[in-house]
């Protein structure tokens, strides 16, 4: 499906804007020298800092976007989307085993504070570092290599956690587990967005990110029998809890082997024949399942292929070419990070201190919250493609913030019980979870393809660091006083930042619904601009 030739010269030569004879992909060599020419009028300055290997005119993006939903897409969803379930399982299990690990006979000389405090902080630090490190590698070496590697890192670290014999080794394993999970976020979100048709991209991305709460709820329920000393010894149950994560990860690894590399990444990096093969396989699957003949799209894009894109070019793209989108991404991530810390940090402490809920029963309340967190993305997700990104993102952010302010007022006035407070949180998080998921969707689709994974990693790392470090420091002091007014203030801080992020979306949001990625943000290596591709 690709044609290769020497430099076009003479009467029969075609210019770059002419469609290839086969209607699919055409590759012609360009100047093979380091720093040879920047991208054309639509590309960002600095796109020529790698070695140009050729010029390709391709219909791969249009062919991917016009595909009806099929088993080929389900394979991608199952293989890639389940990582958030792992993350939710990890976070919840560790939170629930803190008390058991600190008991005599657990096999570790560690305190509950070290598990819930230091271990949690190291997991967050690992996730931030892993996102940035693997995000850069994902843009450089491809989505598939990295989403396989990051899962292997997670599996190895979790397995080693299960056999920890001392506190320092347990803490090291928590950092490495976070390192793998953070890398997963960058590799997986970029791959999903580049493989899923544009008309489905919003709902799929939001639902997949919301599946974190399936793992969180499962972790809360699973930890109950595993940590019951009537069934399992103190030094066995917590190890089996981590072992379950390994088993689930191995199943995902087997499925993930069959997920293809992103064709968009392939054709930019000079592997156009492989990109053609991936899209052709998807088309054959669709035609066999639907009994239809797919029409050839008219839209094509010309790319000056590069072996790599420099880090400085990527940084300049985010700061100089798309400053508005960078400010938007930071606002969305920081807002949702603070809201979730405001509600969930000290969750059990609030139930214990103000409503005298026993430690062993707080998990059941948490499961209710998890249900609301997952139902929000599941039920609201389709609206991000139909109603649109700006109204839905701003709406879910602002509404969840306003509802949390109302909850704070009721809590301060003593009008809530443990049950009604949990119900209020569930309603707040129904909307907030869809909004938080849309933050990942936003940063994964509004930046050029060459920077996508690193952009996701950057915003995830900043949002996680701000919400996971400064958030707990602020909220722990407020919640620990035992005064309803101080806890209500913690709610109000999270609510205020969420509302502020929703307002930023109203002004800086991008109308990305049902649009191809290349029209939202032109690739840095593109030779000519596409209609609708504008900097912001």
């Amino acid at each position: 499906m690709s044609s290769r030739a020497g430099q076009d010269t003479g009467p029969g030569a075609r210019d770059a804007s002419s469609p290839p004879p086969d209607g699919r992909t055409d590759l012609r060599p360009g100047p093979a020298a380091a720093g040879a020419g920047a991208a054309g009028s639509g590309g960002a300055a600095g796109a020529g800092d790698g070695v140009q290997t050729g010029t390709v005119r391709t219909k791969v993006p249009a062919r991917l976007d016009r595909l009806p939903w099929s088993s080929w897409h389900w394979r991608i969803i199952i293989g890639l989307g389940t990582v958030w379930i792992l993350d939710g399982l990890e976070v919840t299990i560790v939170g629930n085993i803190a008390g058991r690990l600190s008991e005599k006979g657990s096999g570790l000389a560690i305190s509950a504070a070290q598990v819930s405090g230091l271990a949690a902080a190291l997991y967050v630090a690992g996730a931030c570092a892993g996102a940035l490190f693997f995000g850069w590698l994902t843009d450089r070496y491809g989505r598939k290599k990295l989403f396989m590697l990051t899962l292997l890192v997670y599996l190895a670290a979790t397995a080693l956690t299960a056999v920890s014999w001392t506190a320092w080794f347990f803490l090291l394993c928590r950092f490495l587990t976070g390192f793998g999970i953070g890398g997963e976020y960058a590799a997986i979100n970029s791959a999903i967005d580049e493989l899923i048709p544009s008309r489905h991209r919003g709902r799929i991305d939001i639902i997949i990110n919301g599946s974190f709460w399936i793992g969180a709820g499962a972790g809360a329920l699973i930890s109950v029998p595993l940590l019951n000393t009537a069934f399992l010894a103190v030094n066995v149950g917590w190890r089996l809890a981590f072992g379950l994560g390994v088993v689930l990860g191995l199943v995902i690894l087997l499925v993930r082997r069959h997920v293809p590399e992103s064709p968009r990444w392939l054709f930019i990096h000079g592997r156009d024949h492989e990109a053609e093969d991936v899209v052709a396989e998807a088309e054959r699957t669709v035609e066999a399942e639907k009994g239809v003949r797919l029409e050839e799209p008219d839209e094509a894009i010309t790319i000056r292929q590069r072996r790599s894109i420099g880090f400085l070019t990527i940084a300049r793209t985010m700061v100089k070419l798309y400053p508005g989108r960078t400010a938007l991404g930071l606002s969305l991530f920081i807002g949702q990070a603070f809201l979730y810390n405001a509600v969930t940090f000290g969750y059990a402490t609030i139930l214990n201190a103000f409503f005298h809920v026993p430690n062993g029963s707080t998990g059941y309340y948490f499961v209710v919250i998890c249900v609301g967190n997952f139902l929000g993305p599941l039920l609201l997700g389709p609206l991000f493609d139909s109603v649109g990104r700006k109204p839905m993102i701003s709406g879910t952010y602002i509404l969840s913030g306003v509802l949390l302010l109302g909850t704070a007022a009721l809590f301060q006035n003593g009008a809530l019980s443990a049950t009604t407070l949990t119900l209020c949180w569930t309603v707040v998080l129904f909307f907030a979870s869809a909004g938080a998921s849309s933050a990942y969707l936003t940063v994964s689709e509004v930046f050029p393809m060459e920077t996508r994974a690193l952009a996701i990693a950057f915003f995830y790392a900043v949002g996680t660091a701000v919400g996971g470090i400064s958030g707990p420091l602020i909220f722990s002091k407020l919640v620990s006083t035992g005064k309803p007014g101080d806890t209500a203030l913690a709610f109000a801080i999270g609510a205020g930042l969420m509302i502020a992020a929703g307002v930023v979306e109203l002004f800086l949001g991008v109308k990305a619904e049902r649009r191809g990625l290349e029209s939202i943000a032109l690739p840095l290596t593109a030779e000519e601009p596409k209609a609708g591709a504008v900097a912001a």
Side-chain angles (χ1 to χ4, degrees), residues 1 14 60 122 141 184 194 222-223 227 229 236 268 338 415-416 436 492 503:
M1 291 301 199
R14 290 181 293 108
V60 161
L122 286 172
Y141 295 108
E184 286 274 286
E194 290 167 9
I222 289 171
S223 63
L227 300 180
T229 53
V236 173
I268 280 181
F338 266 90
L416 298 175
V503 173

Side-chain angles (χ1 to χ4, degrees), residues 345-350 353-354 411 471-488 490:
F345 186 85
Y347 163 81
T349 303
I350 292 171
F354 294 101
F411 180 84
L473 289 175
I474 295 171
F475 300 135
S476 61
K477 293 181 179 179
L478 293 172
V479 173
S480 63
T481 66
K483 299 178 181 178
D486 289 343
T487 299

Side-chain angles (χ1 to χ4, degrees), residues 4 37 80 328 381 422 500:
R4 292 179 181 271
L80 300 183
L328 172 65
T422 300

Side-chain angles (χ1 to χ4, degrees), residues 50-82:
V51 176
Q52 184 174 321
T53 58
T55 301
V56 60
R57 186 165 179 81
T58 181
K59 293 185 177 182
V60 161
R63 289 164 62 196
L64 284 169
D65 282 340
R66 61 76 152 101
L67 291 176
W69 194 263
S70 70
S71 60
W72 188 83
H73 299 101
W74 278 117
R75 188 202 317 166
I76 294 165
I77 298 306
I78 295 172
L80 300 183
T82 40

Side-chain angles (χ1 to χ4, degrees), residues 88-148:
L89 191 71
E90 276 286 325
V91 172
T92 309
I93 283 179
V94 172
N96 287 329
I97 67 172
R100 189 67 71 226
L101 274 173
S102 62
E103 291 182 4
K104 185 178 180 180
S106 69
L108 291 179
I110 193 170
S111 67
Q114 285 179 306
V115 179
S116 59
L118 183 56
L122 286 172
Y123 181 85
V124 169
C128 294
L132 292 171
F133 177 71
F134 288 120
W136 175 69
L137 293 180
T138 298
D139 282 332
R140 189 176 183 87
Y141 295 108
R143 291 23 175 157
K144 182 163 186 173
K145 286 181 181 178
L146 271 297
F147 65 60
M148 296 297 287

Side-chain angles (χ1 to χ4, degrees), residues 53 139-141 264-272 305-309 449-450:
T53 58
D139 282 332
R140 189 176 183 87
Y141 295 108
R264 287 176 158 101
W265 185 89
L266 286 169
F267 71 68
I268 280 181
H269 289 80
R271 296 163 60 180
D272 55 296
Q305 297 169 310
R306 301 278 166 184
R307 293 200 183 108
S308 65
I309 304 295
M449 207 226 75
E450 299 91 338

Side-chain angles (χ1 to χ4, degrees), residues 282-352:
E283 290 171 333
R284 286 193 297 270
T285 301
V286 168
E287 290 180 343
E289 289 182 3
K290 308 296 182 182
V292 297
R293 179 69 177 174
L294 294 171
E295 294 184 4
E296 191 70 23
D298 296 326
E299 193 174 4
I301 187 170
T302 300
I303 294 291
R304 292 185 177 184
Q305 297 169 310
R306 301 278 166 184
R307 293 200 183 108
S308 65
I309 304 295
F311 185 82
L312 290 178
T313 296
I314 294 172
R316 283 198 302 268
T317 299
M318 295 174 63
V319 176
K320 293 186 67 176
L321 187 60
Y322 294 107
R325 297 181 184 190
T326 300
L328 172 65
L330 288 172
S331 299
L332 295 178
F333 266 85
I334 292 173
Q336 60 89 22
F338 266 90
L339 179 134
Y340 270 93
N341 273 283
V343 173
T344 60
F345 186 85
Y347 163 81
T349 303
I350 292 171
L351 292 178
N352 294 153

Side-chain angles (χ1 to χ4, degrees), residues 103-474:
E103 291 182 4
K104 185 178 180 180
S106 69
L108 291 179
I110 193 170
S111 67
Q114 285 179 306
V115 179
S116 59
L118 183 56
L122 286 172
Y123 181 85
V124 169
C128 294
L132 292 171
F133 177 71
F134 288 120
W136 175 69
L137 293 180
T138 298
D139 282 332
R140 189 176 183 87
Y141 295 108
R143 291 23 175 157
K144 182 163 186 173
K145 286 181 181 178
L146 271 297
F147 65 60
M148 296 297 287
L149 177 59
T150 51
L151 182 56
L152 288 172
V153 170
Y154 162 81
L155 287 171
T158 304
L160 289 172
T161 304
V163 298
S164 296
W165 70 93
T166 187
W168 72 264
F169 189 79
F170 176 83
L171 295 173
L172 173 63
C173 289
R174 294 312 300 155
F175 176 85
L176 293 175
T177 303
F179 196 69
I181 286 291
E184 286 274 286
Y185 276 105
I188 299 304
N189 267 310
S190 53
I192 288 174
D193 277 6
E194 290 167 9
L195 289 166
I196 298 300
S198 57
R199 63 186 175 281
H200 299 298
R201 188 175 61 242
R203 72 192 71 187
I204 295 300
D205 211 327
I206 286 172
I207 292 171
I208 286 176
N209 279 282
S211 67
F212 171 95
W213 296 99
I214 296 178
L221 292 175
I222 289 171
S223 63
V224 174
L226 288 178
L227 300 180
N228 189 331
T229 53
F231 301 106
L232 296 168
V234 175
N235 66 336
V236 173
W238 69 266
R239 298 183 190 276
L240 289 178
F242 285 112
L244 285 175
V246 176
V247 172
L248 180 57
L250 286 172
V251 173
I252 295 171
L253 184 65
L254 293 174
V255 177
R256 192 173 284 185
R257 292 181 307 151
H258 304 291
V259 176
E261 177 59 271
S262 163
R264 287 176 158 101
W265 185 89
L266 286 169
F267 71 68
I268 280 181
H269 289 80
R271 296 163 60 180
D272 55 296
H273 285 307
E274 294 176 58
E276 286 286 340
D277 291 341
V278 171
V279 180
E281 179 200 354
E283 290 171 333
R284 286 193 297 270
T285 301
V286 168
E287 290 180 343
E289 289 182 3
K290 308 296 182 182
V292 297
R293 179 69 177 174
L294 294 171
E295 294 184 4
E296 191 70 23
D298 296 326
E299 193 174 4
I301 187 170
T302 300
I303 294 291
R304 292 185 177 184
Q305 297 169 310
R306 301 278 166 184
R307 293 200 183 108
S308 65
I309 304 295
F311 185 82
L312 290 178
T313 296
I314 294 172
R316 283 198 302 268
T317 299
M318 295 174 63
V319 176
K320 293 186 67 176
L321 187 60
Y322 294 107
R325 297 181 184 190
T326 300
L328 172 65
L330 288 172
S331 299
L332 295 178
F333 266 85
I334 292 173
Q336 60 89 22
F338 266 90
L339 179 134
Y340 270 93
N341 273 283
V343 173
T344 60
F345 186 85
Y347 163 81
T349 303
I350 292 171
L351 292 178
N352 294 153
F354 294 101
F355 305 107
H356 309 294
V357 176
N359 280 321
S361 300
T362 57
Y364 297 111
Y365 290 88
F366 186 73
V367 171
V368 175
I369 290 177
C370 290
V371 171
N373 268 294
F374 178 65
L375 287 179
L378 180 65
L379 300 178
L380 299 178
L383 300 179
F384 285 79
D385 285 322
S386 57
V387 175
R389 302 285 200 265
K390 289 183 72 170
M392 288 304 301
I393 296 174
S394 59
T396 51
Y397 268 74
I398 293 172
L399 182 58
S400 60
V402 170
L403 289 172
L404 185 55
L405 284 177
T407 301
L410 291 172
F411 180 84
Q412 184 172 2
N413 292 327
L416 298 175
S417 64
T419 300
T420 54
L421 176 62
T422 300
L423 290 176
C424 286
W425 280 343
T426 301
V427 174
V428 168
L429 296 176
F430 175 87
F431 296 101
S433 183
S437 296
S438 71
Y440 290 91
L441 168 66
T442 297
V443 300
S444 67
E445 66 181 0
V446 301
F447 292 98
M449 207 226 75
E450 299 91 338
T451 71
R452 182 163 293 121
L454 191 58
I456 297 167
F458 170 76
F459 290 107
Y460 169 77
V462 172
T464 302
V466 172
I469 297 174
S470 61
L473 289 175
I474 295 171

